[in-house]
Amino acid sequence: MQETEISAAEALSLLALAETASRAQALPELAESFLHSLEELIHTPAAVLYLEAPFLPHPAFFQTGLAPEIVPEVRSQCAAHFHPTPGRATLQPVPIPLRHSEGLQLSLYPLNGPEPVPGLLGVVCPEHGADSTRVLVDKAISLLAYPLRQIIDRLDYERQINNLNIYLNVSSMIAQALDLRDALEAVLYFCMEAVSAEAASVLLLDYEKKN
């Protein structure tokens, strides 16, 4: 695709987007500020950010401007078209017609990088969009990459520290347990905490006991 020049106003908007994104301390804060800035930058009626990562209990979906009735459709389309393989941003964005929005389509852009792709950026635009929109979205994605990676790395580090603390606590509780029941209760409690479970059980088999 031939490079399209951007205006001075668009360059200033991109600079403001980068500054706002760099101040975000959490994923919801980053997604909200980035999507609102992108919405103003390319004059899109709606935009979405879809993220998948091993430390997230489930895929994260953030959006601005979507009508409530099409949110489930857009979320499912993001999940269906997500690929963690690096390098996909060199391909054309995936256009997806929106059934409830005549004349509009959802264009999905991979958040590309040298590491596994953490998610997708979706932009709602007319079915025949201008090249300038693609150029601005690509530049916005490149500006999002660093603050997003910083937050992802920090969350992953916090997850590892939390798991290590759980292992240490389990070992300590088992060492202090006076009987098997106390040891099992300690293990179950910390296992539930590690995976955010609401309930857990353990089954013991006595191979020496005869029926």
Side-chain angles (χ1 to χ4, degrees):
M1 183 181 67
Q2 185 177 359
E3 182 71 16
T4 303
E5 292 185 0
I6 64 174
S7 67
E10 290 169 338
L12 289 175
S13 295
L14 284 168
L15 183 60
L17 180 149
E19 183 179 357
T20 303
S22 66
R23 293 199 299 264
Q25 298 297 313
L27 280 180
E29 180 186 359
L30 175 62
E32 181 180 4
S33 64
F34 177 80
L35 291 178
H36 282 298
S37 297
L38 184 68
E39 198 175 27
E40 297 176 359
L41 174 67
I42 63 176
H43 308 292
T44 177
V48 303
L49 186 63
Y50 177 86
L51 301 172
E52 281 194 22
F55 58 85
L56 293 174
H58 50 76
F61 180 83
F62 307 97
Q63 63 89 14
T64 179
L66 287 180
E69 61 269 19
I70 69 171
V71 168
E73 176 190 356
V74 172
R75 183 194 292 265
S76 64
Q77 291 286 3
C78 288
H81 289 84
F82 172 73
H83 299 280
T85 306
R88 290 184 59 86
T90 58
L91 305 179
Q92 292 294 320
V94 179
I96 302 170
L98 296 175
R99 289 177 296 176
H100 300 285
S101 302
E102 186 176 353
L104 295 178
Q105 68 180 19
L106 175 70
S107 295
L108 294 177
Y109 299 78
L111 302 178
N112 194 52
E115 302 178 36
V117 178
L120 297 168
L121 175 66
V123 175
V124 175
C125 57
E127 292 184 356
H128 303 287
D131 286 343
S132 59
T133 298
R134 170 73 191 276
V135 170
L136 289 172
V137 171
D138 284 344
K139 291 183 180 299
I141 288 176
S142 66
L143 294 174
L144 174 66
Y146 181 74
L148 179 60
R149 178 55 56 188
Q150 289 287 96
I151 292 178
I152 287 177
D153 288 346
R154 186 176 71 248
L155 290 175
D156 189 40
Y157 175 75
E158 291 173 355
R159 178 186 63 85
Q160 294 180 43
I161 293 297
N162 183 62
N163 288 342
L164 179 59
N165 287 332
I166 290 174
Y167 299 148
L168 293 175
N169 287 331
V170 168
S171 299
S172 176
M173 293 292 289
I174 292 176
Q176 298 176 33
L178 300 177
D179 56 31
L180 180 60
R181 177 178 293 275
D182 291 341
L184 290 176
E185 286 183 353
V187 172
L188 282 177
Y189 172 79
F190 286 109
C191 286
M192 289 171 56
E193 184 178 325
V195 299
S196 302
E198 296 181 359
S201 62
V202 62
L203 175 64
L204 299 180
L205 298 178
D206 189 351
Y207 292 102
E208 297 182 356
K209 184 178 180 179
K210 297 182 180 179
N211 294 332

